[in-house]
Structures are given as C-alpha cells and as structure tokens.
Amino acid sequence: MVDKGKQVDTSAAPPDPQSAFGAVMPVIADLLERGTRAFALGSWEEAIEHFGELASITEETFGSESQRYADCLVMYGRALLQHAIEQSALLAQKTLAEAAAGSKETEAKEGQPKEEGQGQPKATIQFEGEPDFRQVEEEAAAAAEEEHDSGGDEDDDFAAAWNVLDLARVIQEKATDAKSQLKYAETLMLLGDVSMESENFGQAVKDFAAALEVKRRHLKEDDRELAEIFYKVALAYEYNQESSKALELMSDVQRILNNRLDALRAESTMEAKEEADSLQEVLEDVAAKIEEWRAPPKPVDIGALTEGEQLLAERAKEMLKKAVESGQINDITNLVKSKRDKQSEAKRQPEDSEGGAKRPKKNS
C-alpha cells in the first residue's frame, strides 16, 4: 500500500513580502493545499493537475536541484501512481465484463433455432464437419487490438509515475542529513511500488532493498517502519519466485515486531496498550502469511470463481480446444497475452547506466 503525505514539507518560515519569493509563495501554498485535498479525496486527476503545476513553479523558483522541488515531484509521482493503479483496475473489470457478456451472447445465439441457410458459410463447396474459424480469428484480432491500445495507455501511466519519482530520487540521494535520507528511502519505496504494479518484481526487489539499507542506518531496530520495508522486500522476492529469501526476511519482520511489542508491554500508558494490541494482530497476520508461502501452491478451484470469472475461463478453454484441434493455435494466442510478456520484453531492453536496473520505458 502506498504511504500518503509523508514527504510534504513546506514548514519553512513565512516569506518576507519584500523578497523575490514573496509573490510566488502564496501560489505554492494554494496549489499544495488543493493537491493535498484532492489526493485525500481520491481525485487523482485533479491532484495530478495541482501537483504538476506545483512542481513546475517550484522548479522555476528554487531550481531543479532543490529539495523543495524533489518533494513536489514525489507528491506528483505518487498521484500519478495512484491514478495508474485505478486505471489498471478499471481496465481489468472492463475486460472481464466484456468477456462475460460475449460468452452469454454466444450461448444465446447457439441456443436459437437457425433458419434455412442462416449461419452457413458462403463458400461454394463445404465439406461436412469442417470447422469455421473465421469468428474465432475475428474475435482474436479485435481483442488483440484493444489489448494493445489499452495496455499501452496503462504502461504509459506507470512509466510517467516512474519517470517523475526517479527524477526525485536523483535529487534526494545527494542530500546527506538524516531527514533527507529518510525521504530518499520513501521515494525508493514508491519506485518499488511502481515496479510491483508493473509486475517488474526483480526491479522491485532492488528498489525496496535500497530503501531498507537507508532506513536501517537511521531508524531504531524496533521501529515499525523498518518492519514494513522488510516485508515489502520479502513480498517482492516472493512474487519474483524466490520464496527462500522471502521467508528469511519475514523472520526479520517477526523479530522487529516482537522487539517493539516487548518495549510496549514494559510501558503502562493506554496508548502503549492499544498499540500492543494492534501489533499482536499484525504478528498474527505475518505468521499466517509465512504459512501461506511455505505451503505448496494449490490448484485453482473453478467452482470458487465468480460467475464472470467462470464464464471467462470456460470461454478461453473452449476456444483454445478448438484451435488446438484445428492446428490454428497461433490464431488466438494473443488472447492469452499477459503483462508477463511485457516484463520479458523489458528484460531484453538494454540496462541503464545506474546499476543495470530495468526500468519502465521513458517517454520521449
């Protein structure tokens, strides 16, 4: 889950009205307030507009290497990421709904009696039992085109978030004080979130691990933020099919949280008791997650799927069976294209100049 609002830092002293910045600071404060409100309400497009303008004005006022500019870029990038996540979810829902509707329409047509000559191919000669794959091919072509168009937009959204956050990273890593370094770690975590959403799990491991290294230098060993980043690294390893490393890191999560729990139990305040109760629930969730990762993967239970998911699964199975029997399997393989294909393509791209990280394609 993406953290909200941590990096907003405009707590400088009020500007001198006579200074060169006196006129622009009220504009910056207004854009910050509007963007923060829109973000809190989940109005991502509005937040993007305000934070984008805020970043532009801040760069002109304080320079492209200023930490203020980096803070604004992080707010802008976080809003872009949330918008990309929302659009990705809407696209998935739309695809599932269209597949379910298409399946029901096909079933309704198949159940209707056909008039003489209706539905027959127009070929002069037709052999009895000859399968007609033209409908399958047309559906495959239409689905492939829509997948290409919508998938490209989705990738552009995540790439935009990546580019903005990566620019902030470059600025923040130059600062050496503890406060700036912790902000730098948060930006690395956001970059890891972008990689996770883009299913580039190897890159997510690198970003989360880099954030962990920074936070370990500045946080106490029983800090819950440290447990959070350990968990994010473990999760990235698990999705990257490296379960043994993921489980090792989960033991660190348990160790940190147990140390924190012991410290809380030594206190007698109501706040400490409430946090201890909450922490106990978190530890139970972590233990359950460890057991889940240790267990072998279970086969998918078709009966447990929703009606729409079942229709989609059955339709895909039927079309694949027909294609295999006809020898025309290549005609519909683009229907089962997933974002994993995009990840494979990204791995074949040249590595960048900083550590060989595979990053989303930058916009020209």
Side-chain angles (χ1 to χ4, degrees):
M1 182 176 180
V2 179
D3 297 331
K4 298 183 178 181
K6 279 190 175 181
Q7 297 210 26
V8 179
D9 183 23
T10 57
S11 56
D16 180 0
Q18 303 300 322
S19 72
F21 299 137
V24 75
M25 290 305 292
V27 178
I28 289 177
D30 181 64
L31 287 170
L32 176 61
E33 181 183 357
R34 289 173 180 269
T36 302
R37 185 188 305 116
F39 191 97
L41 295 173
S43 301
W44 311 126
E45 292 185 357
E46 184 180 349
I48 288 169
E49 180 182 354
H50 293 314
F51 286 146
E53 187 176 353
L54 174 64
S56 179
I57 293 177
T58 304
E59 180 186 18
E60 293 177 3
T61 306
F62 298 101
S64 60
E65 296 295 322
S66 69
Q67 293 300 313
R68 282 177 176 269
Y69 177 47
D71 289 344
C72 295
L73 286 173
V74 171
M75 290 183 277
Y76 183 30
R78 185 186 286 114
L80 286 167
L81 173 57
Q82 291 289 352
H83 181 260
I85 293 172
E86 180 182 69
Q87 293 303 306
S88 180
L90 290 174
L91 176 61
Q93 294 174 3
K94 178 183 176 183
T95 302
L96 184 63
E98 288 178 349
S103 179
K104 289 181 179 180
E105 184 179 350
T106 301
E107 290 176 359
K109 288 182 179 179
E110 290 177 351
Q112 294 176 356
K114 295 183 179 180
E115 298 178 4
E116 185 177 355
Q118 181 181 353
Q120 297 295 328
K122 297 181 179 180
T124 307
I125 301 176
Q126 179 186 359
F127 295 99
E128 184 177 356
E130 179 185 1
D132 183 6
F133 283 93
R134 284 176 295 179
Q135 182 180 1
V136 173
E137 293 169 0
E138 291 169 0
E139 290 177 354
E145 183 177 356
E146 183 175 354
E147 169 76 14
H148 179 271
D149 293 340
S150 56
D153 293 340
E154 180 184 340
D155 288 346
D156 289 344
D157 289 339
F158 284 114
W162 176 278
N163 291 336
V164 170
L165 291 168
D166 196 44
L167 180 56
R169 174 192 65 82
V170 172
I171 299 171
Q172 289 175 331
E173 69 180 345
K174 298 174 183 177
T176 56
D177 61 285
K179 182 178 181 180
S180 297
Q181 281 288 293
L182 287 173
K183 287 184 178 183
Y184 169 55
E186 290 173 20
T187 301
L188 287 169
M189 291 173 67
L190 285 169
L191 285 166
D193 290 332
V194 176
S195 295
M196 289 291 286
E197 292 292 338
S198 304
E199 297 191 13
N200 192 351
F201 304 122
Q203 181 60 47
V205 168
K206 295 178 182 178
D207 291 324
F208 288 144
L212 173 60
E213 182 180 350
V214 175
K215 288 206 171 191
R216 292 190 78 170
R217 293 199 298 264
H218 300 285
L219 297 178
K220 295 180 179 180
E221 277 298 314
D222 65 348
D223 196 302
R224 293 181 67 165
E225 283 190 31
L226 204 56
E228 177 192 11
I229 184 59
F230 264 108
Y231 176 75
K232 281 180 174 285
V233 182
L235 188 65
Y237 270 123
E238 174 65 18
Y239 275 91
N240 204 41
Q241 306 299 318
E242 298 180 78
S243 297
S244 59
K245 293 182 179 179
L247 290 170
E248 289 177 12
L249 289 163
M250 289 296 276
S251 65
D252 288 313
V253 175
Q254 289 180 309
R255 172 181 56 79
I256 294 169
L257 294 179
N258 278 314
N259 289 342
R260 178 61 181 164
L261 187 59
D262 291 340
L264 289 170
R265 286 172 174 168
E267 301 179 18
S268 57
T269 63
M270 181 61 67
E271 291 80 2
K273 182 180 182 304
E274 291 177 354
E275 184 180 349
D277 292 341
S278 171
L279 205 57
Q280 187 62 53
E281 295 179 1
V282 174
L283 278 165
E284 293 173 2
D285 292 339
V286 170
K289 182 62 69 175
I290 290 174
E291 290 303 314
E292 176 186 331
W293 289 357
R294 283 176 176 167
K298 297 179 181 180
V300 178
D301 182 9
I302 299 296
L305 299 177
T306 65
E307 181 181 357
E309 291 171 337
Q310 290 182 29
L311 289 170
L312 180 60
E314 291 299 327
R315 185 184 180 202
K317 186 190 299 182
E318 180 181 353
M319 293 177 66
L320 185 61
K321 180 180 178 182
K322 289 181 180 180
V324 170
E325 291 174 349
S326 67
Q328 299 188 19
I329 182 65
N330 291 331
D331 291 339
I332 66 166
T333 49
N334 48 14
L335 286 180
V336 293
K337 179 181 179 183
S338 68
K339 292 171 74 176
R340 297 265 182 185
D341 299 326
K342 300 170 188 173
Q343 180 182 353
S344 300
E345 292 174 5
K347 290 181 179 179
R348 293 196 295 269
Q349 294 178 354
E351 297 180 345
D352 70 7
S353 58
E354 298 180 18
K358 279 79 172 175
R359 310 204 176 214
K361 184 169 60 177
K362 293 184 181 294
N363 295 331
S364 56

